[in-house]
Amino acid sequence: MSQQEALIDLAPGGLASPEALSTPTPATVRVKVWDLPLRIFHWSLLAAVATAIVTGKLGGEWMALHGKAGLAIVGLMAFRLVWGLVGSSTARFSHFVPAPGQILSYLKGQWRGIGHNPLGALSVLALLAVLGVQAGTGLFSNDDIAFAGPLASQVVDELSQKLTSWHHQLANVLFILLGLHVAAIAFYAKVKKDKLVAPMVTGWKEVPADVAQPHRARRIALILAVAAGVLAVYLASGGWIASPAPSQAAPENTASNTANNAAGNGASTKAPAW
């Protein structure tokens, strides 16, 4: 009897096979979980949000950069919305938006999948929603001192002031969500031994071998997402707003004043009638 046949005989129930012994099925496989466009979006959004927070706190002459960071966030959010519809499978909202049953399975430790887990997905959705509203209100805000949003002139002052107030209040909500996001990353790294940062840098991660593997998006999807981001920045920047026509009142008044002055000067140099 060969050594391989002996191993087969020793297997419980005699169910082992030579193929199973020679090529064992791995518990995990290394796959590309996060595609390059999504990773670029993630770190670009982090840079834009950090810039907006710092410049907003500094105020003054830094508000010009604050506005540019806000426009960058608008463009990135538009890109992410489209990429969430037509991008890679793990980037799509249909893939990671959790159903109540999935959340319950995750809390019981029974959830199996790749990409965002159900609680992580809720965190991502909350962050995207708050950032979207924050950037949107900033476009119409006006502090009457150092900054006016590029679309502030398109709404009445009362509404602009209200949106400015919401913009300031939402900043506190954003800080809380960002803090929870960082705390969750640290918790998964220390307690669950699941490092979330490295895959967002490299794209690769070890996942269960029996879960569905992700698929890449087509090139046309990337073109559509980038085009949406560029269009959003253009619309948000107010570049489509026509500049007001210069007033003609001032030149007419100037000409009238000149004529009056000339007439007055002529009268003053005119010889007395007597």
Side-chain angles (χ1 to χ4, degrees), residues 57-77:
K57 292 295 183 181
L58 292 175
E61 59 184 10
W62 292 98
M63 292 304 294
L65 182 57
H66 180 80
K68 292 180 180 178
L71 288 177
I73 293 173
V74 169
L76 289 168
M77 292 294 298

Side-chain angles (χ1 to χ4, degrees), residues 158-195:
E158 182 179 356
L159 178 57
S160 179
Q161 294 300 326
K162 182 178 295 185
L163 293 175
T164 303
S165 176
W166 291 355
H167 187 74
H168 292 159
Q169 294 173 21
L170 277 175
N172 298 323
V173 178
L174 180 61
F175 295 154
I176 294 174
L177 290 177
L178 289 175
L180 291 175
H181 191 68
V182 173
I185 292 174
F187 172 79
Y188 273 86
K190 295 292 185 181
V191 178
K192 294 200 169 188
K193 306 302 179 183
D194 185 7
K195 296 181 180 180

Side-chain angles (χ1 to χ4, degrees), residues 38-264:
L38 184 65
R39 285 178 281 141
I40 293 176
F41 158 81
H42 180 273
W43 297 112
S44 298
L45 184 64
L46 175 61
V49 170
T51 301
I53 291 174
V54 173
T55 53
K57 292 295 183 181
L58 292 175
E61 59 184 10
W62 292 98
M63 292 304 294
L65 182 57
H66 180 80
K68 292 180 180 178
L71 288 177
I73 293 173
V74 169
L76 289 168
M77 292 294 298
F79 168 87
R80 185 64 182 92
L81 287 176
V82 176
W83 198 243
L85 298 175
V86 299
S88 301
S89 58
T90 51
R92 294 191 181 189
F93 299 127
S94 60
H95 174 83
F96 70 83
V97 173
Q102 291 175 310
I103 298 175
L104 184 60
S105 296
Y106 178 77
L107 294 176
K108 292 180 178 179
Q110 300 172 350
W111 179 83
R112 294 175 65 82
I114 60 176
H116 296 300
N117 63 61
L119 292 186
L122 292 178
S123 172
V124 170
L125 293 174
L127 271 173
L128 292 178
V130 172
L131 280 174
V133 178
Q134 183 76 344
T137 54
L139 298 177
F140 299 93
S141 64
N142 184 4
D143 62 5
D144 295 324
I145 301 175
F147 180 79
L151 303 182
S153 62
Q154 303 304 299
V155 297
V156 297
D157 289 342
E158 182 179 356
L159 178 57
S160 179
Q161 294 300 326
K162 182 178 295 185
L163 293 175
T164 303
S165 176
W166 291 355
H167 187 74
H168 292 159
Q169 294 173 21
L170 277 175
N172 298 323
V173 178
L174 180 61
F175 295 154
I176 294 174
L177 290 177
L178 289 175
L180 291 175
H181 191 68
V182 173
I185 292 174
F187 172 79
Y188 273 86
K190 295 292 185 181
V191 178
K192 294 200 169 188
K193 306 302 179 183
D194 185 7
K195 296 181 180 180
L196 303 178
V197 176
M200 192 55 73
V201 175
T202 66
W204 295 93
K205 187 177 182 180
E206 295 286 338
V207 301
D210 59 346
V211 300
Q213 303 301 307
H215 65 79
R216 297 171 60 185
R218 296 181 179 180
R219 185 174 299 178
I220 186 63
L222 179 59
I223 295 174
L224 289 174
V226 172
V230 173
L231 178 61
V233 171
Y234 171 73
L235 295 176
S237 68
W240 50 274
I241 302 175
S243 301
S247 176
Q248 300 297 326
E252 291 176 359
N253 291 339
T254 303
S256 176
N257 292 337
T258 303
N260 291 337
N261 290 338

